[in-house]
Amino acid sequence: MPSRVRALALTGVIALASGLSSCTSGPGTPLESKAAASSVIEDPQCASGNRAYFGDTHLHTALSPDAGLAGTKLGLDEAYRFARGETVTSNSGQQAALKRPLDFLVVADHAENLGLAQGMEKSDPELLKSPLGQQLNDLLKAGKGLEAFNLLVQKMGGGRDALISNDAYMRSVWEYNTEVAERYNAPGKFSTLIGYEWTSQPGGGNLHRVVVFRDNKALADQILPFSAFDSEDVEDLWAFMNYYEENTGGRVLAIPHNGNLSSGTMFLPRHQKTGEPIDADYARMRHRFEPLVEVTQAKGTGETHPLLSPEDEFAGFNIVDHTNLGGTKPITPDMYPYEYARAALRQGLQLEQQLGVNPFKFGMVGSTDSHSSLPSTAEDNWWGKAPMLEPSPERWKDVLIKSAKDASLDLTALQLGASGLAGVWASGNTRTALWDAMARKEVFGTSGTRLTVRVYGGYDYTGEELKAADWAQQVCADGVPMGGDLMAASEGQIPSLLVQARKDPDGANLDRIQVVKGWLDADGETHEQVFDVSWSDPDQRMRGADGKVPSVGSSVNEREATYTNTIGAPTLTGYWKDPAFDPSQKAFYYVRVIEIPTPTWLAYDRKNYNLYDEMPATAPYTSQERAYTSPIWYNPS
Amino acid sequence: MSWPDRLRTLVQEPIVPFLIVGAGLFGLQGALDAKAPKGDTQIVVSNDQAVAMVQAFARTWQRPPSQEELERLFDEHVRTEVFVREAMALGLDRNDTIVRRRLRQKMEFVSHGEQPLPTPSDQQLQAHLEAHPERFSSEPRFSFQQVFLDPSRRGEQLTRDAEALLAQLNQGDAAADPSSLGDPLAMVSASREGESRSELLAQFGSTFTDALQQQPKGRWVGPISSAYGIHLVRVSSIVPAELPPLDHVRDGVLRDWQDVQRQEHQESYYRDLLARYSVRVPQF
């Protein structure tokens, strides 16, 4: 071993990368930034305003290596412009625009080799400091471009190549990312939250997390993104997040997604490193850093699975679960309980009983995970998951992930959904207000529709409150919003929920409001039940003898990809009192709102490109879009 | 866009050692035979590279690597190096769509960095601003009052009720307080001041917003429809969209102008390169 390296390695006298050393030895930034960080809202019960903000917490641009490889040319500017409502030229050369702008956006490019390709863009001086960068530059200047690139290709093995492990270089890419986020952040109008994706998938099982910062560039620039190259173990990610918070005074949270592609590992209560059952420390860290789960996105919906919830007639929505993200392992039945949100919420009650803290105490959002810089979720205006899935007569045939092992493990375009969005009950459209609402879980996820749903839980509600236009403001002090905790009931008290749902003003009417309850019994077993709370046309749709509300029917003409709002209701309110409340049992309640059936993006494609002879008759041409709220938990003393 | 399917696997994955995977996919048993490598057979981990590895490790773990860990870092590096060189020797980097795409992408970026962007004059920026009003204009803003009537509550009476309420409101009846008339619409107040168009789209939908724009000002009119029912409205003012002065949006205009320059530069860079080649494609 060269003596200099040995000296560094063995004596521990080491110049840590600037990202972390600046926190401890930099010129006074931590204290200043701590003072500058605005405080989290004092009264979380009544923190939200009179509208929900819709956005995407999970978008990739050409800075993500996989997106770049797939042919994404659009970068950060295009992503923000498109999201705020401008028309941009798509990767396939089409004019793309949202019908309505988003209120906020988190660009979450993969941390692994972030912006490798873009490093050349600015002939980055930092790049030239590394021996390889210098070599490349010399070759380029000598007109030997191809040689330069061959050299670069040589370095692009797995893991950090020589270029990327040059922290100064990676820093410049990260700072570019934060700089563009700052440029587009327009408080009150359009918020950008700084973020990235930690892309861990041991053995092909998806454990990805989107990391979202509350802070501005000044704080976020004090670190470099902790990537899966640093560690694939989520506990190391949390340690890094903890480090960030302690050293900058900033705040950060992580949002896991696609448990359905995790081979039963996303909610498996075991340490990744040892395989041992998790302990209270693990539970505390997960509880603290992962207040949300992305339950619906293009690669499937992870609320629950028909095999886990056989009694739930709406459980089979956009299920993508035959394999994992790598297409390496077929699903087996023992995996399901550790892949879906509802089962994880149930398991969380058990774990809380054992460990004293609930590791799976999360709210729910939807997002796109689009890899083309174009966050879109409207079925009739879906710009796809990746460049080759932009609108075209061929896209329905595409294969997003081709399994190296077995074609039956492919993930095909026909399985993708034009999903989803995060609805956030923030006090206003600012970075910190949105983040705070996420942290207190006052959020809901939709399959892409902009229907809004609001929930308050308490002991003293009667249902009359819902008659006032400003009902939420009137009741918030007497209960808790979605994401909140109900403390132990006094003698005779029973929790009730006030729910209001409003259709997407440019979308479909509503079928019904449901409450999903999960609870832990005295034997330590968990249960779930779905309750219909209110529905359209209650005079005609009577609850049947089996307790079920009849189907709302359908106004969809699949062939023409049309529907009419002649069924369903534009708004629904619901008052629900737990009919089987046991004050000694831990429980959670979340609300699900179901829309009337509408055509899917596949139906619109078939119509627009006249593919009646080609597209399979069995493809899903109709679906009932929906929203899921964060739960309200009941905690016995 | 038809790629060899086997390569599509890689698209969804964070950078994988794709040359190695490629070798696996191609099933090149031949590649696995231990042949004497051609060309450079020296693998040297330089001091600079080693320091970089140690620093990366230390940044992650907050401590320097142990002797054993350091050796693992080196082993990993060498393993990658060996495979990459062998893959290159076998020509696995050629005819690989992903490698070709990547090289093209890098070339396009290189062309970006080749020359510093010129500094535009104010006249150039002003011209750019005027050429793209859709990018820089403010949103129209609406100030109005509304009274909502809920069809599900009023049924057959809806139209009649709307007419009666309209008459009452236009009489200037002091008792006719819009906020106490009509039906509640959750989270929507009776009076709105300087509401942007996008805010109205989010709250009422496009049908209502477009109709509101057409209404006369200063008196109660309607009803106009929204997603939720019908509304009587009194528009007090609509501030139209306007192009702001350059000084208010200078940064955005400059950025945008530079983007256009970059694209033009990239195109001409390509044209210059293309000029070195004679191109023949089949004629159909």
Side-chain angles (χ1 to χ4, degrees):
Chain A
M1 189 192 308
S3 57
R4 179 168 151 233
V5 178
R6 183 180 309 142
L8 283 173
L10 301 183
T11 60
V13 181
I14 206 155
L16 288 183
S18 53
L20 296 181
S21 60
S22 69
C23 306
T24 44
S25 60
T29 37
L31 290 175
E32 287 164 20
S33 55
K34 269 182 186 157
S38 60
S39 56
V40 178
I41 289 180
E42 297 290 314
D43 180 8
Q45 284 171 294
C46 295
S48 53
N50 66 353
R51 63 162 286 200
Y53 296 97
F54 284 104
D56 186 1
T57 67
H58 187 178
L59 179 73
H60 295 271
T61 74
L63 281 176
S64 286
D66 56 350
L69 288 173
T72 296
K73 303 196 232 4
L74 305 187
L76 297 171
D77 283 278
E78 290 90 348
Y80 289 123
R81 281 184 184 166
F82 179 82
R84 73 181 186 187
E86 292 180 35
T87 302
V88 303
T89 303
S90 81
N91 298 286
S92 54
Q94 305 176 67
Q95 294 301 293
L98 292 172
K99 289 180 179 158
R100 285 170 291 168
L102 294 177
D103 298 313
F104 68 91
L105 179 65
V106 184
V107 167
D109 277 312
H110 295 291
E112 299 72 21
N113 276 339
L114 182 67
L116 176 60
Q118 282 70 6
M120 289 300 195
E121 187 170 8
K122 296 183 280 191
S123 273
D124 195 299
E126 288 300 343
L127 202 62
L128 302 185
K129 283 185 190 167
S130 77
L132 176 64
Q134 194 56 59
Q135 252 178 308
L136 288 172
N137 200 51
D138 294 348
L139 284 168
L140 286 171
K141 290 284 178 287
K144 298 178 180 170
L146 202 54
E147 274 180 54
F149 292 125
N150 279 327
L151 180 65
L152 195 51
V153 170
Q154 285 179 37
K155 304 288 176 185
M156 295 191 332
R160 294 165 163 272
D161 59 46
L163 279 178
I164 292 301
S165 56
N166 174 340
D167 282 338
Y169 164 69
M170 187 173 178
R171 165 153 308 287
S172 71
V173 179
W174 177 237
E175 289 180 0
Y176 167 67
N177 176 314
T178 57
E179 173 202 326
V180 182
E182 292 299 341
R183 280 203 319 236
Y184 282 92
N185 190 41
K189 200 168 163 194
F190 177 73
S191 297
T192 64
L193 285 86
I194 291 169
Y196 75 87
E197 181 167 356
W198 175 77
T199 320
S200 165
Q201 48 192 68
N206 175 90
L207 294 177
H208 300 185
R209 264 79 173 172
V210 168
V211 177
V212 183
F213 293 79
R214 183 178 190 260
D215 315 302
N216 57 17
K217 177 177 170 64
L219 267 62
D221 281 355
Q222 292 183 28
I223 50 92
L224 287 179
F226 183 91
S227 80
F229 291 158
D230 294 321
S231 169
E232 288 198 306
D233 187 335
V234 72
E235 291 180 73
D236 295 328
L237 174 69
W238 299 331
F240 164 81
M241 291 166 73
N242 185 49
Y243 179 92
Y244 169 80
E245 293 197 343
E246 289 192 348
N247 281 277
T248 66
R251 300 290 305 276
V252 64
L253 56 82
I255 309 176
H257 65 89
N258 283 121
N260 57 317
L261 301 175
S262 72
S263 288
T265 58
M266 180 58 83
F267 301 108
L268 187 70
R270 293 186 171 275
H271 293 282
Q272 279 175 247
K273 274 199 188 81
T274 61
E276 294 296 311
I278 61 170
D279 52 20
D281 283 344
Y282 177 106
R284 255 190 297 278
M285 288 297 262
R286 188 154 181 161
H287 178 106
R288 173 178 156 197
F289 285 119
E290 302 196 353
L292 303 178
V293 167
E294 179 188 298
V295 294
T296 175
Q297 64 131 280
K299 295 198 304 294
T301 294
E303 180 214 9
T304 191
H305 188 285
L307 293 175
L308 295 170
S309 305
E311 302 292 305
D312 180 356
E313 65 202 283
F314 292 96
F317 181 77
N318 197 17
I319 297 293
V320 181
D321 202 349
H322 49 304
T323 177
N324 59 25
L325 188 62
T328 56
K329 247 191 228 173
I331 185 87
T332 52
D334 55 305
M335 296 177 183
Y336 290 122
Y338 306 110
E339 296 198 336
Y340 287 87
R342 190 187 298 175
L345 289 167
R346 282 170 59 175
Q347 189 183 203
L349 303 178
Q350 278 170 321
L351 290 163
E352 187 177 41
Q353 190 90 322
Q354 295 157 22
L355 304 170
V357 56
N358 181 348
F360 303 136
K361 194 165 189 175
F362 52 80
M364 297 192 264
V365 293
S367 280
T368 69
D369 196 7
S370 163
H371 275 58
S372 57
S373 275
L374 304 174
S376 65
T377 60
E379 303 290 331
D380 60 351
N381 187 35
W382 191 51
W383 286 87
K385 166 88 170 69
M388 65 282 185
L389 288 158
E390 288 185 5
S392 77
E394 286 80 38
R395 70 168 163 174
W396 68 272
K397 288 186 273 203
D398 219 288
V399 180
L400 181 71
I401 303 178
K402 184 93 185 138
S403 171
K405 297 180 76 135
D406 181 346
S408 73
L409 303 183
D410 289 351
L411 181 52
T412 67
L414 289 172
Q415 296 170 297
L416 298 176
S419 185
L421 287 171
V424 181
W425 288 106
S427 57
N429 189 356
T430 66
R431 190 179 276 174
T432 50
L434 290 162
W435 193 95
D436 291 348
M438 292 180 193
R440 68 174 183 267
K441 305 188 266 286
E442 199 172 349
V443 298
F444 58 97
T446 86
S447 56
T449 164
R450 299 196 196 185
L451 75 81
T452 52
V453 51
R454 197 161 210 183
V455 183
Y456 281 86
Y459 294 117
D460 305 324
Y461 298 143
T462 64
E464 289 301 302
E465 300 87 342
L466 288 161
K467 290 183 175 156
D470 60 347
W471 69 273
Q473 279 74 23
Q474 293 184 23
V475 307
C476 64
D478 305 323
V480 296
M482 57 181 76
D485 282 284
L486 286 172
M487 291 308 148
S490 321
E491 188 63 38
Q493 282 190 321
I494 297 174
S496 60
L497 301 181
L498 296 169
V499 188
Q500 176 165 52
R502 221 167 64 184
K503 69 177 272 192
D504 178 332
D506 286 328
N509 282 344
L510 307 177
D511 166 2
R512 66 185 71 193
I513 290 175
Q514 301 178 305
V515 168
V516 178
K517 178 187 179 184
W519 69 97
L520 179 72
D521 69 18
D523 301 329
E525 296 297 316
T526 65
H527 308 270
E528 66 180 60
Q529 193 174 349
V530 181
F531 300 86
D532 291 311
V533 173
S534 61
W535 51 95
S536 65
D537 304 309
D539 305 343
Q540 287 93 54
R541 296 168 72 197
M542 307 287 192
R543 211 189 280 272
D546 59 354
K548 300 269 190 204
V549 170
S551 160
V552 70
S554 176
S555 64
V556 174
N557 176 333
E558 284 191 354
R559 200 177 158 77
E560 293 303 315
T562 56
Y563 73 99
T564 61
N565 269 323
T566 48
I567 55 173
T571 61
L572 288 172
T573 54
Y575 173 68
W576 182 83
K577 204 166 186 164
D578 186 347
F581 180 62
D582 179 336
S584 68
Q585 294 179 342
K586 289 179 190 291
F588 63 81
Y589 308 96
Y590 69 86
V591 170
R592 186 170 65 183
V593 182
I594 311 276
E595 269 183 12
I596 63 169
T598 48
T600 60
W601 68 273
L602 288 163
Y604 286 106
D605 269 18
R606 188 170 64 161
K607 161 80 179 153
N608 294 341
Y609 299 115
N610 191 14
L611 301 170
Y612 298 105
D613 298 339
E614 295 176 54
M615 286 179 70
T618 54
Y621 295 115
T622 301
S623 75
Q624 286 188 267
E625 298 223 37
R626 57 202 56 202
Y628 312 100
T629 74
S630 298
I632 289 172
W633 285 266
Y634 170 72
N635 308 281
S637 43
Chain B
M1 188 182 295
S2 65
W3 317 349
D5 277 350
R6 57 183 174 257
L7 293 172
R8 302 290 297 280
T9 319
L10 304 171
V11 171
Q12 253 325 86
E13 313 219 348
I15 287 287
V16 290
F18 56 82
L19 298 174
I20 302 170
V21 173
L25 297 181
F26 287 93
L28 285 164
Q29 281 83 12
L32 307 178
D33 299 344
K35 283 189 199 139
K38 300 184 200 61
D40 186 5
T41 54
Q42 276 205 316
I43 293 180
V44 180
V45 179
S46 72
N47 261 6
D48 282 347
Q49 285 173 307
V51 170
M53 289 181 208
V54 170
Q55 283 187 338
F57 183 97
R59 183 167 62 75
T60 301
W61 301 107
Q62 298 304 296
R63 61 172 178 79
S66 68
Q67 179 88 19
E68 193 184 331
E69 285 164 330
L70 189 62
E71 278 165 16
R72 268 210 301 276
L73 289 175
F74 291 159
D75 287 349
E76 190 59 25
H77 175 86
V78 170
R79 178 181 295 259
T80 301
E81 187 63 27
V82 167
F83 274 124
V84 169
R85 287 196 198 183
E86 292 295 326
M88 303 273 290
L90 287 162
L92 294 181
D93 55 324
R94 298 189 289 277
N95 297 329
D96 182 320
T97 312
I98 288 184
V99 175
R100 288 168 58 84
R101 187 186 301 278
R102 188 117 178 133
L103 294 180
R104 171 185 154 178
Q105 198 183 37
K106 285 182 166 11
M107 232 20 222
E108 285 171 347
F109 287 127
V110 169
S111 72
H112 271 192
E114 274 218 322
Q115 57 186 66
L117 288 166
T119 310
S121 66
D122 275 9
Q123 287 84 343
Q124 282 172 299
L125 288 182
Q126 185 63 37
H128 185 75
L129 174 63
E130 287 165 19
H132 301 285
E134 77 289 350
R135 289 183 197 168
F136 303 105
S137 288
S138 63
E139 282 198 87
R141 292 199 168 269
F142 300 77
S143 298
F144 67 101
Q145 293 172 291
Q146 63 89 32
V147 170
F148 173 66
L149 287 96
D150 187 342
S152 68
R153 287 189 185 207
R154 296 175 186 263
E156 305 285 301
Q157 297 291 317
L158 185 68
T159 315
R160 207 169 319 158
D161 289 356
E163 284 167 7
L165 268 177
L166 190 60
Q168 194 185 345
L169 285 161
N170 273 328
Q171 278 163 5
D173 185 346
D177 170 13
S179 62
S180 64
L181 293 174
D183 304 318
L185 178 57
M187 296 169 273
V188 173
S189 57
S191 286
R192 329 277 293 198
E193 284 298 319
E195 209 64 275
S196 69
R197 186 181 152 78
S198 52
E199 193 73 26
L200 291 186
L201 287 176
Q203 290 270 9
F204 296 96
S206 51
T207 314
F208 176 92
T209 306
D210 292 341
L212 191 69
Q213 201 137 5
Q214 310 303 324
Q215 302 308 312
K217 297 186 185 59
R219 60 192 168 87
W220 284 93
V221 292
I224 60 176
S225 296
S226 75
Y228 310 109
I230 63 172
H231 304 254
L232 304 171
V233 296
R234 180 168 170 269
V235 179
S236 50
S237 72
I238 299 179
V239 179
E242 53 188 16
L243 204 58
L246 178 60
D247 278 337
H248 291 194
V249 286
R250 180 177 292 274
D251 288 354
V253 178
L254 173 63
R255 209 168 53 230
D256 213 66
W257 181 87
Q258 288 180 329
D259 269 354
V260 173
Q261 299 304 307
R262 251 194 291 265
Q263 283 160 11
E264 286 176 1
H265 172 69
Q266 185 151 322
E267 190 54 27
S268 71
Y269 178 78
Y270 168 65
R271 295 279 152 210
D272 290 349
L273 291 178
L274 181 64
R276 304 181 194 173
Y277 297 84
S278 73
V279 179
R280 258 207 324 239
V281 295
Q283 299 298 313
F284 293 108

